[in-house]
Amino acid sequence: MKNVSKKLCLLLAGFALVFAGCSKKPARPSPDQTALGPTPGGSTGLSVTDLKTEAGSGLTDQLPAGVIDDGNTIRGLLQAVYFDFDSASVKAAERPKLQAAKDYLDKNPGAGILCEGHADWRGTAEYNLGLGDRRANAAKKYLSTIGAAGAKLEANSKGSLEAKQNATDADAANDRRVDLVIIKPKAL
């Protein structure tokens, strides 16, 4: 019995260490903000198509603050597409963001786009995973509809994995999105 309680204490201590080491996630920008940051006129001042991902382009030297290049993908350069509560329909106001992604693909023929679907904290993990998948595939389908090559598009769901728990309405709205992640061309 004493051996079992020692194992239980060790197990609980391990869990406490794991969860104590987790940090808070940074706040997401509101749907009307971008990683590039708005200028006084409302524009980011930098077109997504101004940056290239071809090998030897020096892209990492040109990346705006908040954009993450992990070597294989670039996150935050293209604006996220936001959705209404419990919806996977691409709103008309969000379609220009997908057009910008298609334009980026046109100017960077070796690149691809990963449509990464997210959901807010409401609902079960399984439901939110499915909702994120429907959102990601809706964005992918819209990109295909406007002429993006299907072979350059991928869809994935993170569901509510990165969602802020018990979030305010404004924070939850930021979690209902599809992130448009650039897949960099493979070096030869």
mmCIF file of all heavy atoms in Angstrom, residues 77-118:
data_model
loop_
_atom_site.group_PDB
_atom_site.id
_atom_site.type_symbol
_atom_site.label_atom_id
_atom_site.label_comp_id
_atom_site.label_asym_id
_atom_site.label_seq_id
_atom_site.Cartn_x
_atom_site.Cartn_y
_atom_site.Cartn_z
ATOM 1 N N LEU A 77 2.195 36.172 -42.116
ATOM 2 C CA LEU A 77 2.368 37.080 -43.249
ATOM 3 C C LEU A 77 1.024 37.313 -43.939
ATOM 4 O O LEU A 77 0.697 38.434 -44.295
ATOM 5 C CB LEU A 77 3.386 36.516 -44.229
ATOM 6 C CG LEU A 77 3.774 37.426 -45.389
ATOM 7 C CD1 LEU A 77 4.371 38.729 -44.873
ATOM 8 C CD2 LEU A 77 4.769 36.733 -46.300
ATOM 9 N N LEU A 78 0.252 36.256 -44.098
ATOM 10 C CA LEU A 78 -1.093 36.372 -44.666
ATOM 11 C C LEU A 78 -2.091 36.527 -43.520
ATOM 12 O O LEU A 78 -1.939 35.909 -42.471
ATOM 13 C CB LEU A 78 -1.431 35.129 -45.491
ATOM 14 C CG LEU A 78 -0.538 34.874 -46.706
ATOM 15 C CD1 LEU A 78 -0.831 33.515 -47.318
ATOM 16 C CD2 LEU A 78 -0.709 35.978 -47.735
ATOM 17 N N GLN A 79 -3.101 37.336 -43.740
ATOM 18 C CA GLN A 79 -4.108 37.589 -42.709
ATOM 19 C C GLN A 79 -4.985 36.367 -42.491
ATOM 20 O O GLN A 79 -5.322 35.653 -43.433
ATOM 21 C CB GLN A 79 -4.994 38.760 -43.116
ATOM 22 C CG GLN A 79 -4.282 40.071 -43.200
ATOM 23 C CD GLN A 79 -5.233 41.189 -43.610
ATOM 24 O OE1 GLN A 79 -6.442 41.011 -43.695
ATOM 25 N NE2 GLN A 79 -4.679 42.357 -43.865
ATOM 26 N N ALA A 80 -5.381 36.149 -41.240
ATOM 27 C CA ALA A 80 -6.307 35.075 -40.893
ATOM 28 C C ALA A 80 -7.705 35.419 -41.408
ATOM 29 O O ALA A 80 -8.078 36.583 -41.517
ATOM 30 C CB ALA A 80 -6.344 34.871 -39.386
ATOM 31 N N VAL A 81 -8.474 34.382 -41.713
ATOM 32 C CA VAL A 81 -9.859 34.527 -42.165
ATOM 33 C C VAL A 81 -10.750 34.196 -40.972
ATOM 34 O O VAL A 81 -10.627 33.126 -40.380
ATOM 35 C CB VAL A 81 -10.149 33.576 -43.351
ATOM 36 C CG1 VAL A 81 -11.598 33.670 -43.778
ATOM 37 C CG2 VAL A 81 -9.204 33.864 -44.506
ATOM 38 N N TYR A 82 -11.641 35.113 -40.603
ATOM 39 C CA TYR A 82 -12.479 34.952 -39.414
ATOM 40 C C TYR A 82 -13.885 34.506 -39.785
ATOM 41 O O TYR A 82 -14.396 34.830 -40.858
ATOM 42 C CB TYR A 82 -12.506 36.250 -38.601
ATOM 43 C CG TYR A 82 -11.147 36.518 -37.988
ATOM 44 C CD1 TYR A 82 -10.198 37.267 -38.671
ATOM 45 C CD2 TYR A 82 -10.809 35.972 -36.764
ATOM 46 C CE1 TYR A 82 -8.946 37.478 -38.128
ATOM 47 C CE2 TYR A 82 -9.560 36.179 -36.212
ATOM 48 C CZ TYR A 82 -8.627 36.933 -36.899
ATOM 49 O OH TYR A 82 -7.383 37.131 -36.370
ATOM 50 N N PHE A 83 -14.508 33.746 -38.862
ATOM 51 C CA PHE A 83 -15.811 33.136 -39.083
ATOM 52 C C PHE A 83 -16.768 33.520 -37.968
ATOM 53 O O PHE A 83 -16.357 33.840 -36.854
ATOM 54 C CB PHE A 83 -15.676 31.607 -39.126
ATOM 55 C CG PHE A 83 -14.928 31.104 -40.327
ATOM 56 C CD1 PHE A 83 -13.542 31.125 -40.358
ATOM 57 C CD2 PHE A 83 -15.605 30.637 -41.434
ATOM 58 C CE1 PHE A 83 -12.842 30.677 -41.465
ATOM 59 C CE2 PHE A 83 -14.921 30.194 -42.553
ATOM 60 C CZ PHE A 83 -13.536 30.212 -42.566
ATOM 61 N N ASP A 84 -18.057 33.450 -38.285
ATOM 62 C CA ASP A 84 -19.093 33.678 -37.280
ATOM 63 C C ASP A 84 -19.179 32.463 -36.367
ATOM 64 O O ASP A 84 -18.688 31.377 -36.693
ATOM 65 C CB ASP A 84 -20.450 33.914 -37.953
ATOM 66 C CG ASP A 84 -20.528 35.268 -38.644
ATOM 67 O OD1 ASP A 84 -19.842 36.205 -38.186
ATOM 68 O OD2 ASP A 84 -21.263 35.384 -39.636
ATOM 69 N N PHE A 85 -19.825 32.628 -35.230
ATOM 70 C CA PHE A 85 -20.011 31.557 -34.269
ATOM 71 C C PHE A 85 -20.684 30.356 -34.933
ATOM 72 O O PHE A 85 -21.681 30.506 -35.642
ATOM 73 C CB PHE A 85 -20.860 32.054 -33.089
ATOM 74 C CG PHE A 85 -21.167 30.985 -32.092
ATOM 75 C CD1 PHE A 85 -20.195 30.533 -31.212
ATOM 76 C CD2 PHE A 85 -22.425 30.421 -32.036
ATOM 77 C CE1 PHE A 85 -20.477 29.535 -30.293
ATOM 78 C CE2 PHE A 85 -22.725 29.428 -31.123
ATOM 79 C CZ PHE A 85 -21.749 28.978 -30.243
ATOM 80 N N ASP A 86 -20.106 29.183 -34.736
ATOM 81 C CA ASP A 86 -20.656 27.907 -35.216
ATOM 82 C C ASP A 86 -20.903 27.908 -36.732
ATOM 83 O O ASP A 86 -21.847 27.305 -37.209
ATOM 84 C CB ASP A 86 -21.946 27.577 -34.462
ATOM 85 C CG ASP A 86 -22.286 26.095 -34.537
ATOM 86 O OD1 ASP A 86 -21.365 25.274 -34.686
ATOM 87 O OD2 ASP A 86 -23.485 25.761 -34.475
ATOM 88 N N SER A 87 -20.052 28.586 -37.472
ATOM 89 C CA SER A 87 -20.218 28.693 -38.923
ATOM 90 C C SER A 87 -18.911 28.350 -39.626
ATOM 91 O O SER A 87 -17.826 28.613 -39.113
ATOM 92 C CB SER A 87 -20.633 30.116 -39.297
ATOM 93 O OG SER A 87 -20.638 30.278 -40.702
ATOM 94 N N ALA A 88 -19.066 27.777 -40.813
ATOM 95 C CA ALA A 88 -17.903 27.494 -41.655
ATOM 96 C C ALA A 88 -18.049 28.179 -43.008
ATOM 97 O O ALA A 88 -17.374 27.815 -43.965
ATOM 98 C CB ALA A 88 -17.735 25.982 -41.833
ATOM 99 N N SER A 89 -18.922 29.162 -43.096
ATOM 100 C CA SER A 89 -19.120 29.906 -44.334
ATOM 101 C C SER A 89 -18.159 31.080 -44.391
ATOM 102 O O SER A 89 -18.060 31.851 -43.438
ATOM 103 C CB SER A 89 -20.553 30.448 -44.426
ATOM 104 O OG SER A 89 -21.465 29.382 -44.461
ATOM 105 N N VAL A 90 -17.470 31.213 -45.524
ATOM 106 C CA VAL A 90 -16.547 32.337 -45.713
ATOM 107 C C VAL A 90 -17.385 33.581 -45.976
ATOM 108 O O VAL A 90 -18.123 33.653 -46.952
ATOM 109 C CB VAL A 90 -15.568 32.071 -46.876
ATOM 110 C CG1 VAL A 90 -14.663 33.273 -47.091
ATOM 111 C CG2 VAL A 90 -14.761 30.812 -46.624
ATOM 112 N N LYS A 91 -17.258 34.563 -45.077
ATOM 113 C CA LYS A 91 -18.027 35.807 -45.206
ATOM 114 C C LYS A 91 -17.456 36.639 -46.349
ATOM 115 O O LYS A 91 -16.258 36.589 -46.645
ATOM 116 C CB LYS A 91 -17.966 36.609 -43.913
ATOM 117 C CG LYS A 91 -18.550 35.898 -42.720
ATOM 118 C CD LYS A 91 -18.572 36.771 -41.480
ATOM 119 C CE LYS A 91 -17.193 36.879 -40.876
ATOM 120 N NZ LYS A 91 -17.195 37.565 -39.563
ATOM 121 N N ALA A 92 -18.303 37.427 -46.987
ATOM 122 C CA ALA A 92 -17.876 38.286 -48.094
ATOM 123 C C ALA A 92 -16.755 39.232 -47.669
ATOM 124 O O ALA A 92 -15.821 39.482 -48.429
ATOM 125 C CB ALA A 92 -19.070 39.070 -48.636
ATOM 126 N N ALA A 93 -16.810 39.728 -46.450
ATOM 127 C CA ALA A 93 -15.785 40.667 -45.967
ATOM 128 C C ALA A 93 -14.423 40.005 -45.799
ATOM 129 O O ALA A 93 -13.396 40.683 -45.790
ATOM 130 C CB ALA A 93 -16.228 41.276 -44.642
ATOM 131 N N GLU A 94 -14.384 38.682 -45.692
ATOM 132 C CA GLU A 94 -13.131 37.955 -45.489
ATOM 133 C C GLU A 94 -12.522 37.460 -46.807
ATOM 134 O O GLU A 94 -11.360 37.041 -46.839
ATOM 135 C CB GLU A 94 -13.361 36.763 -44.554
ATOM 136 C CG GLU A 94 -13.819 37.159 -43.160
ATOM 137 C CD GLU A 94 -12.777 37.970 -42.405
ATOM 138 O OE1 GLU A 94 -11.643 37.491 -42.255
ATOM 139 O OE2 GLU A 94 -13.104 39.094 -41.971
ATOM 140 N N ARG A 95 -13.266 37.525 -47.880
ATOM 141 C CA ARG A 95 -12.794 36.994 -49.165
ATOM 142 C C ARG A 95 -11.571 37.712 -49.730
ATOM 143 O O ARG A 95 -10.726 37.070 -50.356
ATOM 144 C CB ARG A 95 -13.944 36.971 -50.164
ATOM 145 C CG ARG A 95 -15.000 35.959 -49.760
ATOM 146 C CD ARG A 95 -16.197 35.958 -50.661
ATOM 147 N NE ARG A 95 -17.185 35.031 -50.109
ATOM 148 C CZ ARG A 95 -18.444 35.023 -50.453
ATOM 149 N NH1 ARG A 95 -18.897 35.875 -51.360
ATOM 150 N NH2 ARG A 95 -19.268 34.171 -49.909
ATOM 151 N N PRO A 96 -11.412 39.028 -49.526
ATOM 152 C CA PRO A 96 -10.183 39.678 -50.014
ATOM 153 C C PRO A 96 -8.902 39.085 -49.406
ATOM 154 O O PRO A 96 -7.849 39.087 -50.039
ATOM 155 C CB PRO A 96 -10.365 41.142 -49.616
ATOM 156 C CG PRO A 96 -11.853 41.332 -49.576
ATOM 157 C CD PRO A 96 -12.387 40.026 -49.055
ATOM 158 N N LYS A 97 -8.981 38.565 -48.194
ATOM 159 C CA LYS A 97 -7.815 37.922 -47.573
ATOM 160 C C LYS A 97 -7.439 36.655 -48.339
ATOM 161 O O LYS A 97 -6.259 36.356 -48.512
ATOM 162 C CB LYS A 97 -8.109 37.586 -46.115
ATOM 163 C CG LYS A 97 -8.370 38.813 -45.256
ATOM 164 C CD LYS A 97 -8.789 38.405 -43.865
ATOM 165 C CE LYS A 97 -9.108 39.605 -42.989
ATOM 166 N NZ LYS A 97 -9.549 39.213 -41.646
ATOM 167 N N LEU A 98 -8.435 35.926 -48.778
ATOM 168 C CA LEU A 98 -8.170 34.722 -49.567
ATOM 169 C C LEU A 98 -7.676 35.096 -50.958
ATOM 170 O O LEU A 98 -6.823 34.398 -51.529
ATOM 171 C CB LEU A 98 -9.422 33.843 -49.626
ATOM 172 C CG LEU A 98 -9.789 33.221 -48.272
ATOM 173 C CD1 LEU A 98 -11.192 32.642 -48.301
ATOM 174 C CD2 LEU A 98 -8.778 32.164 -47.872
ATOM 175 N N GLN A 99 -8.171 36.192 -51.515
ATOM 176 C CA GLN A 99 -7.669 36.672 -52.804
ATOM 177 C C GLN A 99 -6.194 37.050 -52.675
ATOM 178 O O GLN A 99 -5.389 36.761 -53.559
ATOM 179 C CB GLN A 99 -8.484 37.865 -53.300
ATOM 180 C CG GLN A 99 -8.041 38.396 -54.655
ATOM 181 C CD GLN A 99 -8.203 37.379 -55.783
ATOM 182 O OE1 GLN A 99 -9.260 36.795 -55.949
ATOM 183 N NE2 GLN A 99 -7.143 37.160 -56.560
ATOM 184 N N ALA A 100 -5.812 37.681 -51.566
ATOM 185 C CA ALA A 100 -4.400 38.034 -51.336
ATOM 186 C C ALA A 100 -3.542 36.776 -51.251
ATOM 187 O O ALA A 100 -2.407 36.754 -51.754
ATOM 188 C CB ALA A 100 -4.271 38.861 -50.062
ATOM 189 N N ALA A 101 -4.077 35.720 -50.650
ATOM 190 C CA ALA A 101 -3.337 34.453 -50.572
ATOM 191 C C ALA A 101 -3.159 33.848 -51.962
ATOM 192 O O ALA A 101 -2.084 33.356 -52.308
ATOM 193 C CB ALA A 101 -4.069 33.470 -49.658
ATOM 194 N N LYS A 102 -4.203 33.918 -52.785
ATOM 195 C CA LYS A 102 -4.109 33.411 -54.154
ATOM 196 C C LYS A 102 -3.096 34.228 -54.959
ATOM 197 O O LYS A 102 -2.281 33.692 -55.710
ATOM 198 C CB LYS A 102 -5.477 33.444 -54.825
ATOM 199 C CG LYS A 102 -5.495 32.732 -56.181
ATOM 200 C CD LYS A 102 -5.892 33.720 -57.242
ATOM 201 C CE LYS A 102 -5.982 33.043 -58.590
ATOM 202 N NZ LYS A 102 -5.256 33.784 -59.600
ATOM 203 N N ASP A 103 -3.115 35.548 -54.777
ATOM 204 C CA ASP A 103 -2.154 36.419 -55.457
ATOM 205 C C ASP A 103 -0.728 36.078 -55.032
ATOM 206 O O ASP A 103 0.189 36.077 -55.849
ATOM 207 C CB ASP A 103 -2.451 37.892 -55.164
ATOM 208 C CG ASP A 103 -3.781 38.351 -55.751
ATOM 209 O OD1 ASP A 103 -4.335 37.660 -56.633
ATOM 210 O OD2 ASP A 103 -4.275 39.413 -55.306
ATOM 211 N N TYR A 104 -0.545 35.778 -53.759
ATOM 212 C CA TYR A 104 0.775 35.384 -53.261
ATOM 213 C C TYR A 104 1.244 34.109 -53.971
ATOM 214 O O TYR A 104 2.395 34.012 -54.406
ATOM 215 C CB TYR A 104 0.727 35.175 -51.746
ATOM 216 C CG TYR A 104 2.078 34.836 -51.179
ATOM 217 C CD1 TYR A 104 2.936 35.840 -50.762
ATOM 218 C CD2 TYR A 104 2.502 33.529 -51.085
ATOM 219 C CE1 TYR A 104 4.191 35.546 -50.267
ATOM 220 C CE2 TYR A 104 3.750 33.219 -50.591
ATOM 221 C CZ TYR A 104 4.595 34.228 -50.183
ATOM 222 O OH TYR A 104 5.836 33.922 -49.703
ATOM 223 N N LEU A 105 0.341 33.139 -54.097
ATOM 224 C CA LEU A 105 0.692 31.892 -54.786
ATOM 225 C C LEU A 105 1.044 32.148 -56.242
ATOM 226 O O LEU A 105 1.964 31.523 -56.785
ATOM 227 C CB LEU A 105 -0.457 30.886 -54.700
ATOM 228 C CG LEU A 105 -0.688 30.239 -53.343
ATOM 229 C CD1 LEU A 105 -1.925 29.356 -53.390
ATOM 230 C CD2 LEU A 105 0.527 29.448 -52.899
ATOM 231 N N ASP A 106 0.327 33.071 -56.875
ATOM 232 C CA ASP A 106 0.619 33.397 -58.274
ATOM 233 C C ASP A 106 2.026 33.977 -58.427
ATOM 234 O O ASP A 106 2.723 33.684 -59.392
ATOM 235 C CB ASP A 106 -0.411 34.395 -58.827
ATOM 236 C CG ASP A 106 -1.782 33.774 -59.019
ATOM 237 O OD1 ASP A 106 -1.904 32.533 -58.999
ATOM 238 O OD2 ASP A 106 -2.754 34.549 -59.176
ATOM 239 N N LYS A 107 2.442 34.798 -57.474
ATOM 240 C CA LYS A 107 3.761 35.429 -57.553
ATOM 241 C C LYS A 107 4.877 34.535 -57.019
ATOM 242 O O LYS A 107 6.049 34.838 -57.214
ATOM 243 C CB LYS A 107 3.754 36.749 -56.785
ATOM 244 C CG LYS A 107 2.902 37.796 -57.465
ATOM 245 C CD LYS A 107 3.196 39.160 -56.911
ATOM 246 C CE LYS A 107 2.329 40.176 -57.620
ATOM 247 N NZ LYS A 107 3.084 41.158 -58.335
ATOM 248 N N ASN A 108 4.516 33.467 -56.318
ATOM 249 C CA ASN A 108 5.483 32.543 -55.722
ATOM 250 C C ASN A 108 5.095 31.114 -56.105
ATOM 251 O O ASN A 108 4.520 30.379 -55.307
ATOM 252 C CB ASN A 108 5.499 32.710 -54.202
ATOM 253 C CG ASN A 108 5.929 34.094 -53.796
ATOM 254 O OD1 ASN A 108 7.108 34.393 -53.764
ATOM 255 N ND2 ASN A 108 4.967 34.966 -53.521
ATOM 256 N N PRO A 109 5.396 30.712 -57.342
ATOM 257 C CA PRO A 109 4.898 29.436 -57.861
ATOM 258 C C PRO A 109 5.346 28.202 -57.082
ATOM 259 O O PRO A 109 4.673 27.183 -57.116
ATOM 260 C CB PRO A 109 5.415 29.391 -59.303
ATOM 261 C CG PRO A 109 6.433 30.462 -59.409
ATOM 262 C CD PRO A 109 6.193 31.438 -58.317
ATOM 263 N N GLY A 110 6.436 28.267 -56.357
ATOM 264 C CA GLY A 110 6.879 27.104 -55.596
ATOM 265 C C GLY A 110 6.227 26.976 -54.237
ATOM 266 O O GLY A 110 6.327 25.944 -53.587
ATOM 267 N N ALA A 111 5.552 28.010 -53.784
ATOM 268 C CA ALA A 111 4.958 28.026 -52.442
ATOM 269 C C ALA A 111 3.594 27.345 -52.436
ATOM 270 O O ALA A 111 2.963 27.143 -53.472
ATOM 271 C CB ALA A 111 4.814 29.470 -51.951
ATOM 272 N N GLY A 112 3.140 27.003 -51.237
ATOM 273 C CA GLY A 112 1.811 26.446 -51.030
ATOM 274 C C GLY A 112 1.159 27.156 -49.852
ATOM 275 O O GLY A 112 1.790 27.966 -49.175
ATOM 276 N N ILE A 113 -0.094 26.824 -49.605
ATOM 277 C CA ILE A 113 -0.835 27.419 -48.493
ATOM 278 C C ILE A 113 -1.468 26.294 -47.670
ATOM 279 O O ILE A 113 -2.119 25.408 -48.214
ATOM 280 C CB ILE A 113 -1.965 28.359 -48.976
ATOM 281 C CG1 ILE A 113 -1.423 29.522 -49.791
ATOM 282 C CG2 ILE A 113 -2.813 28.858 -47.808
ATOM 283 C CD1 ILE A 113 -0.726 30.595 -49.011
ATOM 284 N N LEU A 114 -1.259 26.359 -46.361
ATOM 285 C CA LEU A 114 -1.939 25.479 -45.420
ATOM 286 C C LEU A 114 -3.049 26.289 -44.775
ATOM 287 O O LEU A 114 -2.791 27.324 -44.150
ATOM 288 C CB LEU A 114 -0.973 24.966 -44.340
ATOM 289 C CG LEU A 114 -1.615 24.270 -43.138
ATOM 290 C CD1 LEU A 114 -2.345 23.003 -43.565
ATOM 291 C CD2 LEU A 114 -0.571 23.959 -42.087
ATOM 292 N N CYS A 115 -4.283 25.846 -44.941
ATOM 293 C CA CYS A 115 -5.431 26.468 -44.294
ATOM 294 C C CYS A 115 -5.634 25.735 -42.969
ATOM 295 O O CYS A 115 -6.013 24.569 -42.952
ATOM 296 C CB CYS A 115 -6.683 26.345 -45.159
ATOM 297 S SG CYS A 115 -6.525 27.111 -46.782
ATOM 298 N N GLU A 116 -5.326 26.421 -41.875
ATOM 299 C CA GLU A 116 -5.341 25.806 -40.549
ATOM 300 C C GLU A 116 -6.554 26.305 -39.777
ATOM 301 O O GLU A 116 -6.599 27.458 -39.351
ATOM 302 C CB GLU A 116 -4.041 26.172 -39.840
ATOM 303 C CG GLU A 116 -3.785 25.432 -38.558
ATOM 304 C CD GLU A 116 -2.430 25.796 -38.006
ATOM 305 O OE1 GLU A 116 -2.304 26.903 -37.422
ATOM 306 O OE2 GLU A 116 -1.498 24.996 -38.165
ATOM 307 N N GLY A 117 -7.553 25.426 -39.610
ATOM 308 C CA GLY A 117 -8.819 25.803 -38.985
ATOM 309 C C GLY A 117 -8.775 25.776 -37.473
ATOM 310 O O GLY A 117 -8.167 24.896 -36.867
ATOM 311 N N HIS A 118 -9.444 26.760 -36.855
ATOM 312 C CA HIS A 118 -9.514 26.885 -35.401
ATOM 313 C C HIS A 118 -10.960 27.146 -34.975
ATOM 314 O O HIS A 118 -11.764 27.641 -35.757
ATOM 315 C CB HIS A 118 -8.646 28.055 -34.919
ATOM 316 C CG HIS A 118 -7.195 27.887 -35.211
ATOM 317 N ND1 HIS A 118 -6.317 27.358 -34.316
ATOM 318 C CD2 HIS A 118 -6.469 28.171 -36.317
ATOM 319 C CE1 HIS A 118 -5.099 27.324 -34.841
ATOM 320 N NE2 HIS A 118 -5.173 27.817 -36.068
#
